[in-house]
Each structure stands twice: as C-alpha cells, then as structure tokens.
C-alpha cells in the first residue's frame, strides 16, 4: 500500500521542520565562522533552505495541515541536528552539513519518491525533485570551496563516517509514523 | 552602505602624531563583534581605518574593501535575526533569509571589483560597528529599525549619489554594481518598514523599544565615527528610492529637509 494523504502531510511537515532547523543552523554559524568565503556560502544557502521550508510549508497546507505546519522529527534525528549545530570548528561544520546531513536527506527524498504516487502526489514530487537538484548543487559548492581552501577540508574522516552512520541509523524521520 | 561609509576627510592609516587621544568605546553600547579570519585587521573607530582623501589613487579600492566587509556585517546581522527570533512570523523570516543571500552577493560583488583593481583581502583595516550596534538589542523591530531603516536607508542616499558620481567619472563597472545593489537594498528597507509597522501595531511596546534602541545606536555610531568620520559627509535624500522603499511622503519630506539643513 502506498502513502495516504495523512502520511504525505506528516512527511512534508517533518521535512519542513528540518529545513527551518537547517536555516537556523547556517544562520547561527554565519557570524561565528571566521572564514569570509564560508560566511558567503552560508548566506546563499540560508536562502535555499528557507525556500525549501517555504515550499514544504505550502504543500503541507495543501495536504490538509495548517499553513506552514511543522512536525518535529523523531528524537534521535532532533538530537543529531542539535549535536551538529553545536559544532564549533568550521571544517567539521562543513563536513557535518554537506557530507552527512544533506546526502542523508537526499536519500530520504528518493525513498519518498519511490513510495508515493507520482500523479496523485505530483506537487510533492515536483518540490522534492527541485530540492534534490538544489541541495546537490549546495554539496558541490561546498566541495569546490574545500578544494580551494584545504584547511576547510580537514575534518577527520572517521568522525565524518560515524556521523553519516548515526544519520543512517535514524531511519524514518516522521515522529508519528506507526503511532 | 550606510550614509557615512564613503571615505571623507583627509585621514591616513592611523591617527596623525599628536592627534587627540579618544576615550575607549562605551562597552554598554556594543555587542561582541563577529568572527573574522586572520587576513582581517579589525579596528573599532573610523579614524583607525585607511581614510584616503578624495582623488587619492587608493581611495576607491579601499572603499570597495571596506564595503565588502560592511556587506558581511549586514549578512551576519540578518543571520542573527533568523536564529535569535525563531518565533517571528514566517513571512518576515523569509525576507531575512533573502536578505542574507543578497548581502552575501553584495559582498562578493565588491570583492570581485576590488580584486580586479589590484586589491587583496585584508589589505586595509575594517570596522564591524554595524553588527556590534545592531545585535546589542534583543528586539526584532528595533534591529530592523537600526539596520534596514537607518543604516540601509541612509545607504540608499549614498548609493544614489555614488551612481551619479561614477556615471560622471565614466566608471561603468562600479555604476552597474551600485544599480544592482540599490535595487536589492530598496527591498530590504521596504520589508523593514512594512514589518516595523506590523510589529508596532501588534504590540505598541515595540515602538518604545525602537525609540530606546535608536537613541543608544546613535550614541554608539557617534563614538565609532567621531567628528572626523561624519563631518562633510552628507547626501541629498533619495526621494524616489525612499518612496519605493515604503517611507511615507511625509517621512521622505522630513528626511529631505533634515539632510538639506545638514548640507
Ligand atoms: Fe547590501
Ligand atoms: Fe541590505
């Protein structure tokens, strides 16, 4: 059985919540990251994730939830977001955001796209496809920056791998799933 | 750009020998500054910057560098508004997020032109007074009043003067930059005007917060700029830009008369 309207609304509202948190994370890091080039990258990406949160919030309303409705994700993912947000080192911040969080989300969008009905849920499909495109571009921009400024690429591999694994283990982000 | 950011007077890199020793900034008027990387030499006062006289071969390039940093301050202040006021209306948060992107682009635009003209990032001292004055206040309406409706609205006047000057000088690149920048800045002032009105209607205590903040901000600004940084620096009000930015005709007329008096 595919996703119901309720399932879709909850998934979309949860992703909205996550994107608002991503926006706040980048915003918090902008004055506290010393490197000018990183600040400017964050400035652009704050707008990208805000637009994604906005599109998801409008879609949540179309799926019979209040306008711009957000649902907090499951506890382990909320903890992961808080843990990443508390990072002080710029190289670690970049690795956590662009090597763990965004690729992990991309996998979840693909999973949703595989499960939903492409016609009945076409507006969500369109939003997620656009997000996949833009967020993969954000990852590419961060890689280019890190190749131009090698000091920004010095996050320990084992630490990043552990974070990627922590993200993967969370599973479904929707807190109400199965309840 | 705010109205006093263009080089004025005839300063040098540091105060000339025998110059008046200034009292330290009043710490109660300023929040801690934002982070800068090792390339930057951050100063606290206008007199400590490289203030080349009009016509000096380095005047424009130093201005581009200073402006590149001021746009970062504006980005950082808008970013702080996003994380400091999570309960603000989503609509104003979207405006702030967009402002972050615009200010980041402005900074890059100034950097590109600065480097094209032979400059190196960190070559001249910079000031972070905007961020330190704005983020001193824990009220969104007050921050919008200082950052967008004061610093940036003053910037509209300065950029319009800059457009006329660069056009007269035949500096087409800088003129094009200013024209792109002022279109964005008008949007920033406009959403601030709109949201200051909405926030003040929703809670009149915001008006009081704005009044108190503006008073403290102008004291702080005077300490940073000193007499040297503001004397002789004034532009006619950009009436058209200010109207587009959501000021009422009465507000524009009042500003224009104040500025005419100053000139
Ligand atoms: Fe700007
Ligand atoms: Fe602006």
């Amino acid at each position: 059985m595919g996703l119901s309207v309720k399932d879709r609304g909850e998934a979309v509202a949860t992703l909205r919540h996550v994107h608002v948190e991503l926006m706040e994370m980048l915003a918090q890091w902008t004055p506290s990251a010393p490197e000018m080039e990183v600040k400017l990258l964050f400035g652009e990406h704050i707008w990208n994730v805000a637009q994604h949160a906005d599109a998801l919030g409008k879609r949540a309303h179309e799926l019979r939830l209040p306008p711009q409705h957000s649902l907090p994700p499951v506890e382990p993912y909320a903890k992961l977001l808080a843990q990443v947000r508390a990072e002080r080192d710029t190289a670690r911040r970049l690795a956590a955001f662009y090597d763990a969080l965004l690729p992990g989300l991309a996998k979840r969008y693909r999973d949703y796209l595989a499960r939903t009905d492409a016609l009945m849920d076409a507006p969500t499909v369109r939003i997620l496809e656009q997000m996949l495109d833009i967020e993969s571009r954000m990852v590419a921009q961060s890689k280019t920056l890190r190749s131009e400024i090698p000091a920004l690429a010095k996050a320990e591999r084992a630490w990043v791998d552990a974070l990627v694994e922590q993200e993967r283990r969370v599973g479904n982000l929707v807190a109400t799933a199965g309840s | 750009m705010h109205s006093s950011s263009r080089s004025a007077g005839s300063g040098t890199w540091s105060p000339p020998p025998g110059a008046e020793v200034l009292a330290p900034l009043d710490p109660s008027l300023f929040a801690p500054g934002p982070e800068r990387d090792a390339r930057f030499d951050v100063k606290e006062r206008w007199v400590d910057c490289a203030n080349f006289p009009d016509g000096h071969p380095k005047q424009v390039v130093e201005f581009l560098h200073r402006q590149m940093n001021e746009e970062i301050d504006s980005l950082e202040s808008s970013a702080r508004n996003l994380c400091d006021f999570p309960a603000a209306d989503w609509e104003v948060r979207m405006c702030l997020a967009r402002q972050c992107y615009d200010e980041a682009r402005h900074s890059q635009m100034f950097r590109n032109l600065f480097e094209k003209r032979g400059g190196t990032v960190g070559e001249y001292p910079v000031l972070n007074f905007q961020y330190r004055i704005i983020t001193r206040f824990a009220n969104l309406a007050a921050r919008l009043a200082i950052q967008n409706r004061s610093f940036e609205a003053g910037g509209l006047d300065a950029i319009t003067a800059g457009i006329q000057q660069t056009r007269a000088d035949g500096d087409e690149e800088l003129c094009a930059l200013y024209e792109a920048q002022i279109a964005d800045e008008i949007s920033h002032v406009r959403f601030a005007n709109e949201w200051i009105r909405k926030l003040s209607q929703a809670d009149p205590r915001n008006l009081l917060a704005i009044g108190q903040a503006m008073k403290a901000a102008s004291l702080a600004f005077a300490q940073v700029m000193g007499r040297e940084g503001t004397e002789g620096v004034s532009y006619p009000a950009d009436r058209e830009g200010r109207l587009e930015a959501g000021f009422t005709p009465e507000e524009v007329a009042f500003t224009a008369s104040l500025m005419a008096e100053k000139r």
Side-chain angles (χ1 to χ4, degrees), chain A residues 16 20 23-24 26-28 30-37 39-47 49-51 53-54 68 85 88 149, chain B residues 33-37 39-40 68 72 75-76 79-80 82-83 86 90 93-101 103-104 107-108 111 121 131:
Chain A
R16 182 196 185 265
V20 172
M23 174 186 85
E24 289 171 359
L26 294 177
Q28 186 183 313
T30 299
S32 62
E35 303 81 359
M36 172 188 174
E37 291 78 2
K39 290 174 190 287
L40 301 195
L41 183 80
F42 289 165
E44 177 181 348
H45 292 181
I46 285 168
W47 176 232
V49 292
Q51 283 178 295
D54 190 57
Q68 297 297 341
R85 188 168 172 165
R88 301 289 310 158
I149 306 175
Chain B
E35 293 290 332
R36 285 291 176 273
D37 62 55
R39 289 170 293 184
F40 288 91
M68 170 192 83
I72 301 175
L75 156 63
E76 293 169 316
R80 276 289 301 276
L82 282 176
C83 50
W90 178 245
R93 301 189 88 197
M94 281 294 281
C95 296
L96 291 165
R98 173 54 193 259
Q99 187 174 2
C100 288
Y101 177 36
E103 308 300 6
S107 180
Q108 190 66 52
R111 179 179 179 172
V121 172
Y131 178 91

Side-chain angles (χ1 to χ4, degrees), chain B residues 1 71 74 102-103 106 152 181 185 188:
Chain B
M1 185 189 323
E71 299 292 342
S74 210
D102 292 344
E103 308 300 6
H106 296 167
E152 296 204 353
Q181 185 196 7
E185 301 298 2
H188 304 163

Side-chain angles (χ1 to χ4, degrees), chain A:
Chain A
M1 191 55 192
L3 300 172
S4 65
V5 167
K6 183 171 176 287
D7 295 333
R8 290 173 193 150
E10 287 172 352
V12 165
T14 304
L15 286 177
R16 182 196 185 265
H17 184 107
V18 169
H19 277 77
V20 172
E21 286 218 28
L22 296 182
M23 174 186 85
E24 289 171 359
M25 194 183 292
L26 294 177
Q28 186 183 313
W29 289 349
T30 299
S32 62
E35 303 81 359
M36 172 188 174
E37 291 78 2
V38 174
K39 290 174 190 287
L40 301 195
L41 183 80
F42 289 165
E44 177 181 348
H45 292 181
I46 285 168
W47 176 232
N48 289 350
V49 292
Q51 283 178 295
H52 295 172
D54 190 57
L56 292 163
K58 287 177 174 141
R59 181 64 186 146
H61 193 34
E62 293 167 359
L63 291 166
R64 308 188 67 178
L65 291 169
Q68 297 297 341
H69 189 64
S70 275
L71 285 173
V74 288
E75 192 58 29
Y77 196 78
K79 273 191 186 154
L80 173 70
L81 289 177
Q83 179 191 325
V84 170
R85 188 168 172 165
E87 272 304 331
R88 301 289 310 158
D89 176 69
T90 307
R92 279 191 169 206
R93 285 172 170 180
L94 292 172
F97 198 90
Y98 298 102
D99 300 342
L101 293 183
L102 288 190
L105 283 169
K107 242 183 246 159
R108 292 162 202 282
Y109 308 155
R110 282 194 209 96
D111 177 55
Y112 181 96
L113 291 170
R115 289 192 304 139
T116 200
D117 185 290
L119 183 58
M120 283 189 275
D121 195 20
T124 311
V125 170
R126 193 177 278 222
I127 290 168
L128 291 182
E129 283 175 349
Q130 284 169 352
M131 285 167 56
L132 273 172
D133 178 40
I134 288 170
E135 290 178 13
S136 69
R137 224 179 310 157
M138 288 163 64
V139 171
Q141 283 176 295
S142 83
K143 285 187 174 151
T144 304
L145 181 61
R146 285 179 282 175
S147 67
E148 286 167 358
I149 306 175
L152 298 175
K154 63 174 177 38
E156 312 83 338
R157 196 63 252 170
W159 179 82
V160 183
D161 290 345
L163 208 59
V164 169
E165 179 54 20
Q166 184 184 346
E167 201 275 354
R168 195 191 60 77
R169 276 202 315 268
V170 173
N172 193 344
L173 297 190
V174 179
T176 56
S179 63

Side-chain angles (χ1 to χ4, degrees), chain B residues 219-239:
Chain B
L219 279 175
F221 184 73
Q223 287 193 6
V224 172
M225 302 308 290
R227 214 173 358 92
E228 303 87 341
T230 48
E231 230 169 39
V233 186
S234 134
Y235 308 95
D238 172 13
R239 290 169 185 266

Side-chain angles (χ1 to χ4, degrees), chain B residues 6 117 159-180 182 240:
Chain B
R6 294 172 65 76
R117 295 182 182 192
I159 299 168
T160 297
I163 289 171
Q164 287 161 358
Q165 188 62 52
T166 47
R167 200 169 277 149
D169 295 346
D171 188 346
E172 285 172 25
E173 279 176 321
L174 186 51
C175 185
L177 187 160
Y178 281 151
E179 286 187 333
I182 198 171
E240 199 186 322

